[in-house]
Amino acid sequence: MPEIKSFKKRWYDEAASLFYRIASAGTLPPSWFRDALPPEKKRSKVSGPLTLEMVSHCWNYSHLLAYQLSSYCLFPPTKTQLTVTVFYCPEDKATEKLLNFFSTQEVVNVTWNWQPLSRTQLFRRSIGRNHAAKHTKADWIWFTDCDILFREGCLDALSEELQDVTTSLVFPRHESTTSMLDDDNPLLKQGAEPAVVDIDTSDFTQHSRDKAKGAFQIVHGDVARAIGYCDKIRLYQTEEHSWRKTYEDKVFRWLLGSRGTPVDIPNVFQIRHVSKGRYKENSKVSELRSKIRHLQE
Protein backbone atom coordinates (compact mmCIF):
# COMPACT_ATOMS: atom_id res chain seq x y z
CA MET A 1 0.00 0.00 0.00
CA PRO A 2 1.10 3.65 -0.47
CA GLU A 3 2.45 5.74 2.39
CA ILE A 4 0.17 6.23 5.39
CA LYS A 5 -1.43 9.68 5.68
CA SER A 6 -1.26 11.17 9.18
CA PHE A 7 -0.63 14.44 10.99
CA LYS A 8 0.91 15.63 14.25
CA LYS A 9 -1.26 16.78 17.14
CA ARG A 10 -2.26 20.47 17.46
CA TRP A 11 -3.02 22.39 20.65
CA TYR A 12 -6.70 22.93 19.78
CA ASP A 13 -7.53 19.34 18.80
CA GLU A 14 -9.63 18.71 21.92
CA ALA A 15 -11.85 21.66 20.99
CA ALA A 16 -12.02 20.31 17.42
CA SER A 17 -13.13 16.94 18.78
CA LEU A 18 -16.06 18.58 20.58
CA PHE A 19 -16.92 20.55 17.43
CA TYR A 20 -17.18 17.42 15.27
CA ARG A 21 -19.18 15.54 17.87
CA ILE A 22 -21.70 18.39 17.86
CA ALA A 23 -21.64 18.67 14.06
CA SER A 24 -22.27 14.95 13.64
CA ALA A 25 -25.49 15.31 15.63
CA GLY A 26 -26.87 16.98 12.51
CA THR A 27 -26.12 20.63 13.15
CA LEU A 28 -24.07 21.07 9.95
CA PRO A 29 -24.21 19.56 6.44
CA PRO A 30 -21.84 16.56 6.14
CA SER A 31 -21.01 17.52 2.54
CA TRP A 32 -18.88 20.36 3.94
CA PHE A 33 -16.47 17.83 5.40
CA ARG A 34 -16.05 15.19 2.69
CA ASP A 35 -15.70 14.67 -1.03
CA ALA A 36 -18.87 13.94 -2.99
CA LEU A 37 -20.44 10.52 -2.59
CA PRO A 38 -20.72 8.65 -5.91
CA PRO A 39 -24.39 8.53 -7.03
CA GLU A 40 -25.99 5.14 -6.41
CA LYS A 41 -26.75 4.61 -10.09
CA LYS A 42 -23.04 4.93 -10.88
CA ARG A 43 -21.82 2.53 -8.17
CA SER A 44 -20.73 -0.90 -9.28
CA LYS A 45 -23.08 -3.85 -8.78
CA VAL A 46 -21.84 -7.35 -8.08
CA SER A 47 -23.61 -10.35 -9.57
CA GLY A 48 -21.84 -13.52 -8.49
CA PRO A 49 -18.73 -13.94 -6.32
CA LEU A 50 -17.55 -10.69 -4.77
CA THR A 51 -14.34 -9.36 -3.25
CA LEU A 52 -14.33 -8.29 0.38
CA GLU A 53 -11.68 -6.68 2.58
CA MET A 54 -11.85 -7.13 6.37
CA VAL A 55 -10.02 -4.40 8.32
CA SER A 56 -9.10 -4.65 12.00
CA HIS A 57 -6.57 -3.11 14.40
CA CYS A 58 -4.67 -4.94 17.12
CA TRP A 59 -2.79 -3.61 20.15
CA ASN A 60 -2.24 -6.06 23.03
CA TYR A 61 -5.16 -8.18 21.82
CA SER A 62 -3.32 -11.01 20.10
CA HIS A 63 -5.15 -13.61 22.25
CA LEU A 64 -8.43 -12.33 20.76
CA LEU A 65 -7.15 -11.76 17.24
CA ALA A 66 -6.13 -15.43 17.23
CA TYR A 67 -9.81 -16.40 17.26
CA GLN A 68 -10.69 -14.02 14.45
CA LEU A 69 -7.88 -15.18 12.17
CA SER A 70 -8.66 -18.79 13.05
CA SER A 71 -12.29 -18.28 12.01
CA TYR A 72 -11.10 -17.49 8.48
CA CYS A 73 -9.02 -20.68 8.47
CA LEU A 74 -11.74 -22.92 9.91
CA PHE A 75 -14.61 -21.46 7.85
CA PRO A 76 -13.09 -20.00 4.66
CA PRO A 77 -15.51 -18.37 2.23
CA THR A 78 -16.44 -20.17 -0.98
CA LYS A 79 -18.24 -17.30 -2.74
CA THR A 80 -15.91 -14.48 -1.76
CA GLN A 81 -12.30 -13.54 -2.41
CA LEU A 82 -11.28 -12.24 1.00
CA THR A 83 -8.43 -9.91 1.93
CA VAL A 84 -7.70 -9.83 5.67
CA THR A 85 -6.03 -6.55 6.62
CA VAL A 86 -4.66 -6.11 10.14
CA PHE A 87 -3.03 -2.89 11.30
CA TYR A 88 -0.55 -3.43 14.14
CA CYS A 89 2.60 -2.00 15.72
CA PRO A 90 5.82 -4.08 15.65
CA GLU A 91 6.41 -3.00 19.27
CA ASP A 92 3.56 -5.37 20.15
CA LYS A 93 5.65 -8.54 19.91
CA ALA A 94 2.82 -10.94 20.73
CA THR A 95 0.74 -9.65 17.83
CA GLU A 96 3.72 -9.68 15.48
CA LYS A 97 4.43 -13.29 16.48
CA LEU A 98 0.79 -14.22 15.84
CA LEU A 99 0.75 -12.60 12.41
CA ASN A 100 3.98 -14.33 11.47
CA PHE A 101 2.36 -17.64 12.34
CA PHE A 102 -0.77 -17.00 10.27
CA SER A 103 1.35 -15.89 7.34
CA THR A 104 2.30 -19.56 7.01
CA GLN A 105 -1.34 -20.69 6.84
CA GLU A 106 -2.56 -21.13 3.27
CA VAL A 107 -6.33 -20.76 3.16
CA VAL A 108 -8.46 -20.99 0.02
CA ASN A 109 -9.91 -17.62 -1.06
CA VAL A 110 -8.06 -15.78 1.73
CA THR A 111 -5.16 -13.32 1.33
CA TRP A 112 -3.34 -12.08 4.44
CA ASN A 113 -2.38 -8.38 4.47
CA TRP A 114 -0.46 -7.19 7.54
CA GLN A 115 0.05 -3.42 7.76
CA PRO A 116 2.62 -2.16 10.33
CA LEU A 117 2.09 1.30 11.81
CA SER A 118 3.92 3.37 14.36
CA ARG A 119 2.36 3.29 17.80
CA THR A 120 1.06 6.86 17.43
CA GLN A 121 -0.57 6.04 14.10
CA LEU A 122 -2.16 2.86 15.42
CA PHE A 123 -3.67 4.64 18.43
CA ARG A 124 -5.90 6.73 16.15
CA ARG A 125 -7.88 3.93 14.52
CA SER A 126 -9.27 6.08 11.71
CA ILE A 127 -5.75 6.56 10.28
CA GLY A 128 -5.52 2.89 9.32
CA ARG A 129 -9.19 2.71 8.34
CA ASN A 130 -8.83 5.74 6.10
CA HIS A 131 -5.76 4.26 4.42
CA ALA A 132 -7.56 0.99 3.78
CA ALA A 133 -10.71 2.74 2.53
CA LYS A 134 -8.88 4.94 0.04
CA HIS A 135 -6.79 2.11 -1.38
CA THR A 136 -9.02 -0.95 -1.21
CA LYS A 137 -9.53 -2.92 -4.42
CA ALA A 138 -12.52 -4.79 -2.99
CA ASP A 139 -16.20 -4.55 -3.90
CA TRP A 140 -17.00 -4.08 -0.21
CA ILE A 141 -14.91 -3.30 2.86
CA TRP A 142 -15.85 -4.34 6.41
CA PHE A 143 -14.41 -2.23 9.25
CA THR A 144 -14.35 -4.48 12.30
CA ASP A 145 -12.55 -5.16 15.60
CA CYS A 146 -10.19 -7.99 16.38
CA ASP A 147 -12.54 -9.58 18.95
CA ILE A 148 -15.18 -10.32 16.26
CA LEU A 149 -15.39 -13.83 14.74
CA PHE A 150 -16.90 -14.85 11.40
CA ARG A 151 -17.90 -18.48 11.55
CA GLU A 152 -19.59 -21.04 9.33
CA GLY A 153 -21.50 -19.58 6.40
CA CYS A 154 -21.16 -15.96 7.56
CA LEU A 155 -19.17 -14.52 4.66
CA ASP A 156 -20.93 -16.59 1.99
CA ALA A 157 -24.29 -15.37 3.28
CA LEU A 158 -22.96 -11.81 3.13
CA SER A 159 -21.98 -12.35 -0.50
CA GLU A 160 -25.54 -13.37 -1.31
CA GLU A 161 -27.03 -10.43 0.60
CA LEU A 162 -24.85 -7.97 -1.34
CA GLN A 163 -25.80 -9.10 -4.84
CA ASP A 164 -26.64 -5.98 -6.91
CA VAL A 165 -26.64 -3.80 -3.77
CA THR A 166 -25.44 -0.19 -4.15
CA THR A 167 -26.29 1.30 -0.75
CA SER A 168 -23.43 2.96 1.15
CA LEU A 169 -23.48 1.02 4.42
CA VAL A 170 -24.84 -2.29 5.69
CA PHE A 171 -24.45 -4.14 8.97
CA PRO A 172 -25.33 -7.59 10.40
CA ARG A 173 -28.77 -7.61 11.99
CA HIS A 174 -27.69 -10.18 14.59
CA GLU A 175 -24.55 -10.88 16.61
CA SER A 176 -23.84 -13.35 19.41
CA THR A 177 -21.74 -12.32 22.39
CA THR A 178 -20.18 -13.79 25.50
CA SER A 179 -20.76 -12.38 28.93
CA MET A 180 -18.07 -9.95 30.11
CA LEU A 181 -14.99 -12.16 30.59
CA ASP A 182 -12.23 -11.64 33.16
CA ASP A 183 -8.57 -12.08 32.27
CA ASP A 184 -8.34 -15.50 33.95
CA ASN A 185 -11.15 -16.95 31.85
CA PRO A 186 -9.87 -20.08 30.03
CA LEU A 187 -11.29 -18.80 26.75
CA LEU A 188 -9.02 -15.74 26.88
CA LYS A 189 -5.98 -17.83 27.75
CA GLN A 190 -6.45 -20.34 24.92
CA GLY A 191 -5.36 -17.86 22.26
CA ALA A 192 -2.23 -16.78 24.11
CA GLU A 193 0.16 -18.74 21.87
CA PRO A 194 0.01 -18.65 18.06
CA ALA A 195 -2.21 -21.46 16.78
CA VAL A 196 -5.40 -22.07 14.86
CA VAL A 197 -7.92 -22.18 17.71
CA ASP A 198 -11.61 -23.03 17.74
CA ILE A 199 -14.17 -21.86 20.28
CA ASP A 200 -17.22 -23.31 22.01
CA THR A 201 -20.11 -21.03 21.02
CA SER A 202 -22.71 -22.62 23.32
CA ASP A 203 -22.30 -19.83 25.91
CA PHE A 204 -22.82 -17.01 23.42
CA THR A 205 -26.13 -15.13 23.43
CA GLN A 206 -27.69 -13.67 20.27
CA HIS A 207 -28.69 -10.01 20.11
CA SER A 208 -30.29 -7.83 17.45
CA ARG A 209 -29.25 -4.33 16.44
CA ASP A 210 -30.95 -1.54 14.52
CA LYS A 211 -27.94 0.47 13.34
CA ALA A 212 -24.29 0.06 12.45
CA LYS A 213 -21.54 0.55 15.01
CA GLY A 214 -17.75 0.71 14.83
CA ALA A 215 -17.06 -3.01 14.48
CA PHE A 216 -19.99 -3.68 12.14
CA GLN A 217 -19.64 -1.20 9.29
CA ILE A 218 -19.69 -2.80 5.83
CA VAL A 219 -19.13 -0.11 3.19
CA HIS A 220 -19.51 -0.16 -0.59
CA GLY A 221 -16.04 -0.08 -2.13
CA ASP A 222 -16.81 2.84 -4.47
CA VAL A 223 -18.00 4.90 -1.51
CA ALA A 224 -14.96 3.98 0.61
CA ARG A 225 -12.55 4.96 -2.15
CA ALA A 226 -14.36 8.25 -2.73
CA ILE A 227 -14.45 9.63 0.82
CA GLY A 228 -12.07 7.44 2.83
CA TYR A 229 -12.67 7.24 6.58
CA CYS A 230 -13.06 10.86 7.69
CA ASP A 231 -10.33 11.61 5.16
CA LYS A 232 -10.97 15.38 4.98
CA ILE A 233 -11.12 15.85 8.75
CA ARG A 234 -7.54 16.35 9.87
CA LEU A 235 -8.38 15.67 13.53
CA TYR A 236 -9.21 12.05 12.73
CA GLN A 237 -5.96 11.57 10.82
CA THR A 238 -3.89 12.93 13.72
CA GLU A 239 -1.47 10.68 15.58
CA GLU A 240 -1.97 10.05 19.29
CA HIS A 241 0.25 8.90 22.17
CA SER A 242 -2.56 6.96 23.81
CA TRP A 243 -5.47 5.04 22.31
CA ARG A 244 -8.29 7.41 21.40
CA LYS A 245 -11.96 6.72 22.04
CA THR A 246 -13.44 6.18 18.60
CA TYR A 247 -15.86 9.10 18.24
CA GLU A 248 -14.94 9.19 14.56
CA ASP A 249 -17.11 6.13 13.89
CA LYS A 250 -20.23 8.20 14.51
CA VAL A 251 -18.76 11.04 12.45
CA PHE A 252 -18.09 8.60 9.60
CA ARG A 253 -21.73 7.46 9.54
CA TRP A 254 -22.81 11.13 9.58
CA LEU A 255 -20.60 11.73 6.54
CA LEU A 256 -22.25 8.77 4.83
CA GLY A 257 -25.68 10.06 5.79
CA SER A 258 -26.65 6.57 6.90
CA ARG A 259 -27.17 4.48 10.04
CA GLY A 260 -26.82 1.46 7.76
CA THR A 261 -29.12 -1.15 6.27
CA PRO A 262 -29.37 -4.48 8.16
CA VAL A 263 -28.47 -7.72 6.39
CA ASP A 264 -29.32 -11.20 7.62
CA ILE A 265 -26.10 -13.15 7.96
CA PRO A 266 -25.41 -15.95 10.46
CA ASN A 267 -22.63 -16.68 12.90
CA VAL A 268 -21.19 -13.27 13.74
CA PHE A 269 -19.68 -13.57 17.22
CA GLN A 270 -18.02 -11.17 19.64
CA ILE A 271 -15.85 -12.01 22.63
CA ARG A 272 -16.61 -9.42 25.30
CA HIS A 273 -13.82 -8.84 27.80
CA VAL A 274 -13.19 -6.66 30.82
CA SER A 275 -9.58 -5.61 30.19
CA LYS A 276 -8.82 -3.21 27.37
CA GLY A 277 -5.50 -3.43 25.55
CA ARG A 278 -5.52 0.35 25.19
CA TYR A 279 -5.07 0.87 28.96
CA LYS A 280 -1.86 0.24 30.87
CA GLU A 281 -2.02 -3.00 32.82
CA ASN A 282 -2.77 -2.60 36.56
CA SER A 283 -3.16 1.19 36.22
CA LYS A 284 -5.88 3.14 38.07
CA VAL A 285 -7.58 3.86 34.74
CA SER A 286 -7.51 0.17 33.89
CA GLU A 287 -9.05 -0.74 37.26
CA LEU A 288 -11.77 1.89 36.89
CA ARG A 289 -12.61 0.83 33.33
CA SER A 290 -12.84 -2.82 34.43
CA LYS A 291 -15.35 -1.92 37.17
CA ILE A 292 -17.44 0.10 34.71
CA ARG A 293 -17.50 -2.75 32.19
CA HIS A 294 -18.66 -5.19 34.87
CA LEU A 295 -21.48 -2.78 35.74
CA GLN A 296 -22.50 -2.76 32.07
CA GLU A 297 -23.40 -6.46 32.22
Side-chain angles (χ1 to χ4, degrees), residues 10-29:
R10 300 169 298 184
W11 64 269
Y12 54 85
D13 277 347
E14 292 305 319
S17 178
L18 179 60
F19 169 81
Y20 286 114
R21 288 162 63 188
I22 294 172
S24 64
T27 58
L28 292 173

Side-chain angles (χ1 to χ4, degrees), residues 142-170:
W142 186 333
F143 299 107
T144 191
D145 290 340
C146 63
D147 53 6
I148 311 298
L149 320 180
F150 311 94
R151 292 177 61 83
E152 187 172 10
C154 173
L155 299 181
D156 283 341
L158 178 63
S159 178
E160 295 194 3
E161 288 283 325
L162 294 179
Q163 297 296 296
D164 296 321
V165 173
T166 56
T167 190
S168 296
L169 174 68
V170 305

Side-chain angles (χ1 to χ4, degrees), residues 241-264:
H241 291 282
S242 60
W243 194 280
R244 295 297 301 192
K245 195 169 181 64
T246 51
Y247 294 118
E248 61 264 36
D249 295 341
K250 181 181 178 182
V251 173
F252 176 64
R253 294 189 293 276
W254 167 63
L255 295 175
L256 289 176
S258 175
R259 290 159 51 101
T261 300
V263 291
D264 290 308

Side-chain angles (χ1 to χ4, degrees), residues 210-226:
D210 60 2
K211 62 181 179 180
K213 72 171 187 177
F216 303 110
Q217 298 179 129
I218 309 168
V219 182
H220 193 288
D222 291 344
V223 173
R225 287 182 284 271

